[in-house]
Amino acid sequence: MNSPVNEEVQALMEAAHDRAAKALGLTCTGPLAWGFLGVTLGRRAGDRWLRVSRTAKRNAGRKAGEGTVGASELLPDGVPRPHLHAVHDWTDGEWAFESAVQDYLTQPVVSPDRADIDHDPGLPDDWWADLRQALALLAEAEGAKATVRDGWIERAFPQFLGVPAPARVERVTGHGDLHWGNLTAAPLCLLDWERWGRVPFGYDAGLLHANSLLVPDVAARVRQEFAPILDTPAGRIGELAALAEMLQAVARGWYPDLAPRLVARAEALTGVRPPVPVHSEVSA
């Protein structure tokens, strides 16, 4: 979806990917698939997909029940996702690397180059039904961590929405990064399980809706499909959490085209026009 930020990052990640492939006995072919700011790198290996990610060495070690491995262990089979076959992790210098071998998917990603969309992908009714079912099953699963933390919500609502934080946030288990770059066309598959956990009720649907605002017909379809969630007080809080996170990204320079739609949607929900976004390093 993205390219590495510089040649040093590119060389580092390509070497790490080669190391993981050798350790796992894989032969990779085809184009490189870069993640956000070169933090991840994926490539096809026959009917498998090898994805390598890096983080600071101080963060080394997978936490029980979290990420791709936790999803493989805890989520029901009815939640469509690539099957996890193997992992291989190591540290080198200042970096910790994690690699995962999953199924290579033949169906296309809905939006392979961006999280939001600028056109209607024309998804069939069955696809929407499958997405509703997947999120319903996911909501009932055990989740090990809180995604979109309460402390962040307390700071982000007034900073990015201009309203007080809610006194209570209802949570369910969710994907945590449900946008169009993490969904495939039919058959539906949900990608990138690094952020899944206990999310505010309505957050997943709200995030998908926010990433649909450039295409009013698709945004309306999201609202229609998830009305039983979004049209509730708890669901409204979840959608506002998603909007606050998107507006934080706007403050960091992302989504310039989407920004006015995000501001308008937040104002429609709260009756308060959000503050003009400014640069922020608040972490969710």
Side-chain angles (χ1 to χ4, degrees):
M1 181 179 292
N2 301 275
S3 59
V5 291
N6 56 46
E7 292 182 358
E8 182 180 359
V9 169
Q10 181 173 345
L12 173 72
M13 291 300 294
E14 289 183 8
H17 199 279
D18 289 344
R19 174 172 175 170
K22 182 177 181 180
L24 292 162
L26 299 174
T27 300
C28 296
T29 58
L32 304 175
W34 291 97
F36 180 70
L37 296 180
V39 172
T40 67
L41 177 60
R43 199 177 186 192
R44 183 178 182 177
D47 62 353
R48 302 285 189 265
W49 182 261
L50 173 60
R51 181 179 186 265
V52 177
S53 63
R54 64 180 166 89
T55 187
K57 186 177 181 178
R58 65 179 179 274
N59 298 324
R62 298 179 190 262
K63 296 180 180 179
E66 296 184 12
T68 302
V69 174
S72 178
E73 296 170 342
L74 297 176
L75 296 185
D77 292 340
V79 179
R81 62 195 187 277
H83 179 73
L84 178 65
H85 297 278
V87 297
H88 176 67
D89 305 335
W90 73 96
T91 58
D92 187 1
E94 63 181 307
W95 298 109
F97 296 91
E98 295 182 352
S99 59
V101 183
Q102 297 179 286
D103 295 331
Y104 174 77
L105 302 178
T106 57
Q107 68 269 40
V109 175
V110 175
S111 180
D113 299 319
R114 54 194 288 180
D116 61 335
I117 52 172
D118 60 2
H119 67 281
D120 189 339
L123 298 163
D125 292 345
D126 288 350
W127 186 94
W128 289 100
D130 290 344
L131 180 61
R132 288 199 316 273
Q133 181 182 32
L135 295 186
L137 288 171
L138 179 56
E140 297 174 357
E142 177 184 355
K145 71 171 183 178
T147 299
V148 191
R149 299 186 303 271
D150 289 342
W152 177 85
I153 290 175
E154 290 174 5
R155 299 186 299 273
F157 269 54
Q159 182 173 356
F160 298 109
L161 299 173
V163 297
R168 178 177 178 272
V169 178
E170 181 179 335
R171 290 183 177 270
V172 296
T173 299
H175 182 272
D177 201 16
L178 195 74
H179 59 66
W180 295 106
N182 282 335
L183 295 168
T184 69
L188 170 69
C189 192
L190 280 66
L191 311 178
D192 194 353
W193 288 89
E194 292 306 317
R195 206 171 176 234
W196 79 281
R198 301 292 291 177
V199 303
F201 180 78
Y203 175 80
D204 277 351
L207 189 61
L208 188 64
H209 180 262
N211 279 284
S212 307
L213 289 173
L214 288 178
V215 189
D217 286 348
V218 177
R221 183 66 185 265
V222 174
R223 290 196 302 271
Q224 173 189 327
E225 295 291 339
F226 295 101
I229 294 173
L230 295 176
D231 292 348
T232 65
R236 176 177 169 273
I237 290 171
E239 183 179 355
L240 286 172
L243 287 165
E245 194 169 82
M246 294 287 285
L247 287 169
Q248 179 179 357
V250 169
R252 293 171 171 171
W254 299 96
Y255 304 111
D257 296 336
L258 195 57
R261 310 287 182 100
L262 296 169
V263 168
R265 178 61 179 171
E267 185 175 7
L269 290 176
T270 66
V272 175
R273 187 164 182 82
V276 176
V278 294
H279 181 74
S280 171
E281 296 299 332
V282 178
S283 175

